[in-house]
Amino acid sequence: MWGKFSRLVFLLLVVVGCSTTGTPATVPPSLPAATTTVATTTTTAAPTTTTTTATTTTADRVAEIEAIFQDLEERRLQALYEGDEETFKSLFANKEYMERSLAVLDLVEFASPPDEVVVSLVDLLRETETCIAALIRTDATDALGSDGLSSRIIVLERVRGHWGFSYIGEGWACEGLHPLSP
């Protein structure tokens, strides 16, 4: 079991790794066709042959998904802290959920700036190219006190090349009609 510090260091490395390519952490490079992909590269040099095998594991994808949720949650809390309505609105994938969420913009009380937020993936419920539904654990207790520790189902949708919040709670995990649809 990793300690809080180890998880934070690991997550920081993942976020930095995702961010150094010039692509935001909320835009993963690609979705794998299966949970494990094996790529083999063969280099031939006279007179011997060298084979290198690279494997993308489930742990890599979990880290990518956690980085997406981490980035969105950090930006959401920062927008709430600053009262930045435009930034807050930009984090949502659909208008209906965004409008319902605006009600909390002025209600969240912070003990301190949201500098230390830890997000971890508890259970990946469903994943498609345009939708991720997961049980997420968030620890923002430094900023929000006891209200900063939560576990909840969050659904993200990919719209215009970026991930955004689409739904929260039980009852929808990327399949069928969206519960906020008319």
Side-chain angles (χ1 to χ4, degrees), residues 51-107:
T51 302
T52 307
T53 303
T55 303
T56 302
T57 65
T58 304
D60 292 336
R61 186 61 185 145
V62 167
E64 287 177 16
I65 291 169
E66 281 183 340
I68 293 167
F69 280 97
Q70 178 79 32
D71 177 65
L72 284 168
E73 186 64 9
E74 286 175 352
R75 292 191 294 145
R76 183 185 77 86
L77 289 173
Q78 192 63 41
L80 287 170
Y81 181 74
E82 294 172 356
D84 185 345
E85 185 173 327
E86 291 309 308
T87 298
F88 186 77
K89 286 179 177 180
S90 73
L91 300 173
F92 292 85
N94 65 62
K95 184 178 178 180
E96 294 79 12
Y97 187 51
M98 180 267 301
E99 287 175 349
R100 290 179 182 202
S101 299
L102 279 173
V104 301
L105 192 60
D106 295 323
L107 298 178

Side-chain angles (χ1 to χ4, degrees), residues 8-164:
L8 184 59
V9 170
F10 174 74
L11 192 54
L12 181 60
L13 290 174
V14 169
V15 171
V16 169
C18 289
S19 299
T20 58
T21 63
T23 304
T26 57
V27 182
S30 64
L31 294 173
T35 55
T36 303
T37 306
V38 177
T40 304
T41 306
T42 303
T43 306
T44 306
T48 62
T49 300
T50 305
T51 302
T52 307
T53 303
T55 303
T56 302
T57 65
T58 304
D60 292 336
R61 186 61 185 145
V62 167
E64 287 177 16
I65 291 169
E66 281 183 340
I68 293 167
F69 280 97
Q70 178 79 32
D71 177 65
L72 284 168
E73 186 64 9
E74 286 175 352
R75 292 191 294 145
R76 183 185 77 86
L77 289 173
Q78 192 63 41
L80 287 170
Y81 181 74
E82 294 172 356
D84 185 345
E85 185 173 327
E86 291 309 308
T87 298
F88 186 77
K89 286 179 177 180
S90 73
L91 300 173
F92 292 85
N94 65 62
K95 184 178 178 180
E96 294 79 12
Y97 187 51
M98 180 267 301
E99 287 175 349
R100 290 179 182 202
S101 299
L102 279 173
V104 301
L105 192 60
D106 295 323
L107 298 178
V108 179
E109 294 185 25
F110 288 85
S112 66
D115 296 330
E116 198 171 318
V117 179
V118 178
V119 175
S120 51
L121 178 67
V122 176
D123 189 16
L124 182 60
L125 305 173
R126 186 163 172 97
E127 179 186 19
T128 68
E129 289 183 17
T130 59
C131 190
I132 301 172
L135 176 59
I136 298 295
R137 178 176 162 78
T138 305
D139 184 351
T141 52
D142 289 347
L144 299 170
S146 62
D147 292 337
L149 188 59
S150 68
S151 293
R152 58 190 195 252
I153 294 173
I154 301 175
V155 180
L156 304 180
E157 284 188 280
R158 190 177 178 108
V159 178
R160 295 176 302 282
H162 299 283
W163 291 102

